[in-house]
Amino acid sequence: MNKANRLYSNIHMRNTVYTVTGVGVMANTLLLLVHISLHITGHRPKPTDLPIGLLALIHLVILLINGFIASDIFMPQGSRWDDLKCKLLIYLYRLMRGFSICATCLLSVLQAITLSPRSSCLAKFKHTSFLHNLCFLLFLWVIYSSFSSHLFISIAATPNWTSDNFMYVTESCSFIPMTFFLRHSLSILLTFREASFIGIMALSSGYMVALLCRHKRQSQYLHSSSPCPVSSPEMRATQTILLLMSCFVVMSILDSVVAYARITLKDDPILYCIQILVTHSYASFSPLVFICTEKRIIVIFRYMWEKTVNVSIASGG
């Protein structure tokens, strides 16, 4: 397709996409290995360890699939994918993105439950088991993924002839044009789905902000004559998750705006590359937030660094 020529000839855009993907793959791999090591060494697990570890694994898979898909955008090999390969790759990618959104939603809810006072109605959920959390995550994922079944119909291998009615996905795959009624019905359903999950995150985040503000007022009242106390681990974790929720919401809104602009401007290829970057920025950014703010991870890195320095000094001496 002519649109593809402008994409894989744009070296700067290609390098940017692969750089963001590479950084995300390394960061998520590191975060996943740290959580595995914490589990092996017998550290006391937190309720949020499950969604954080799953997020690292999910984002790693998403970025690897995206790298494979991007190879058909920026470096087409000549042999095109068949119809089945297009459907499976794009559908698997969307399933993993749905898993990411559900895990992020669960992370927000679990932290709100952890932070809630004993008198709250959420307190009875504080001691839910790993299995219950996993079942709830799978329940959310099934609901979210049920809205993506249309991809088996709307994705197909790109025909040899060019047409403005086909929306570009990769050199080999395109979205089949849909009727006005079907397109707008799907848009309404998908908008409702995204709004529902973002609404859950917004409610839990608002609840956490209210609890943080109340805690801050109490701390100022109790320690008015002394220096500001160090925030508790729960407060630091809450601030980290609130930062992550804010980034997720901003990226979701930007993704929707760019997607709408892409449709309005007749599938502009540069906007498509911008949409790819915006869509995967959360998967690449979220592990860096956890690595830089999680105290247990910082302690592990500090220990590894000191051990490496000691070994190098010993070998040099």
Side-chain angles (χ1 to χ4, degrees), residues 11-285:
I11 298 175
H12 299 294
M13 190 65 72
R14 181 189 66 192
N15 292 341
T16 303
V17 170
Y18 278 114
T19 299
V20 172
T21 302
V23 170
V25 167
M26 290 188 292
N28 282 290
T29 302
L30 186 60
L31 181 62
L32 181 60
L33 291 175
V34 168
H35 271 269
I36 292 174
S37 67
L38 288 173
H39 179 73
I40 293 174
T41 53
H43 280 74
R44 184 181 178 183
K46 296 181 179 180
T48 54
D49 282 350
L50 168 65
I52 292 175
L54 278 176
L55 270 178
L57 178 60
I58 292 164
H59 289 162
L60 179 60
V61 175
I62 286 176
L63 291 170
L64 290 175
I65 296 175
N66 175 63
F68 188 70
I69 292 174
S71 66
D72 195 51
I73 298 175
F74 298 104
M75 295 182 294
Q77 302 299 319
S79 59
R80 297 197 173 198
W81 301 344
D82 58 20
D83 198 60
L84 180 61
K85 192 173 183 179
C86 283
K87 292 179 185 296
L88 288 178
L89 272 176
I90 303 301
Y91 187 66
L92 178 61
Y93 169 76
R94 291 297 180 92
L95 284 181
M96 298 310 296
R97 276 202 67 197
F99 219 156
S100 170
I101 293 172
C102 294
T104 303
C105 185
L106 177 62
L107 180 63
S108 176
V109 171
L110 286 178
Q111 188 59 32
I113 292 173
T114 301
L115 198 66
S116 61
R118 294 180 180 178
S119 57
S120 171
C121 60
L122 297 177
K124 60 183 179 181
F125 299 107
K126 282 191 176 186
H127 302 291
T128 53
S129 64
F130 172 89
L131 183 60
H132 283 95
N133 292 335
L134 183 60
C135 290
F136 182 64
L137 175 62
L138 291 175
F139 173 72
L140 289 177
W141 185 50
V142 168
I143 294 177
Y144 189 95
S145 302
S146 62
F147 288 85
S148 301
S149 56
H150 70 282
L151 290 173
F152 276 112
I153 303 173
S154 57
I155 289 287
T158 303
N160 292 327
W161 45 273
T162 59
S163 173
D164 290 335
N165 293 326
F166 286 80
M167 179 171 283
Y168 179 83
V169 179
T170 71
E171 179 71 7
S172 303
C173 310
S174 296
F175 275 110
I176 299 174
M178 294 182 289
T179 62
F180 177 84
F181 175 77
L182 183 58
R183 184 171 66 252
H184 282 267
S185 298
L186 282 174
S187 298
I188 293 172
L189 286 174
L190 295 178
T191 301
F192 174 76
R193 180 189 68 179
E194 299 298 322
S196 299
F197 278 81
I198 291 178
I200 294 174
M201 296 180 204
L203 286 175
S204 57
S205 298
Y207 179 69
M208 286 187 282
V209 169
L211 291 176
L212 284 177
C213 291
R214 189 178 72 173
H215 175 78
K216 185 177 180 181
R217 288 196 301 268
Q218 291 175 347
S219 299
Q220 289 175 346
Y221 175 77
L222 295 173
H223 303 275
S224 58
S225 59
S226 62
C228 183
V230 179
S231 59
S232 65
E234 290 79 10
M235 295 301 168
R236 290 197 300 270
T238 303
Q239 291 167 357
T240 299
I241 292 173
L242 285 174
L243 173 62
L244 200 67
M245 295 301 106
S246 302
C247 294
F248 177 83
V249 172
V250 170
M251 295 306 172
S252 298
I253 294 173
L254 284 177
D255 184 28
S256 301
V257 171
V258 175
Y260 178 78
R262 184 185 165 204
I263 295 173
T264 305
L265 298 177
K266 297 182 179 180
D267 199 14
D268 184 83
I270 303 301
L271 280 176
Y272 182 45
C273 286
I274 295 173
Q275 185 181 14
I276 292 174
L277 289 172
V278 170
T279 303
H280 298 96
S281 57
Y282 174 68
S284 299
F285 175 76

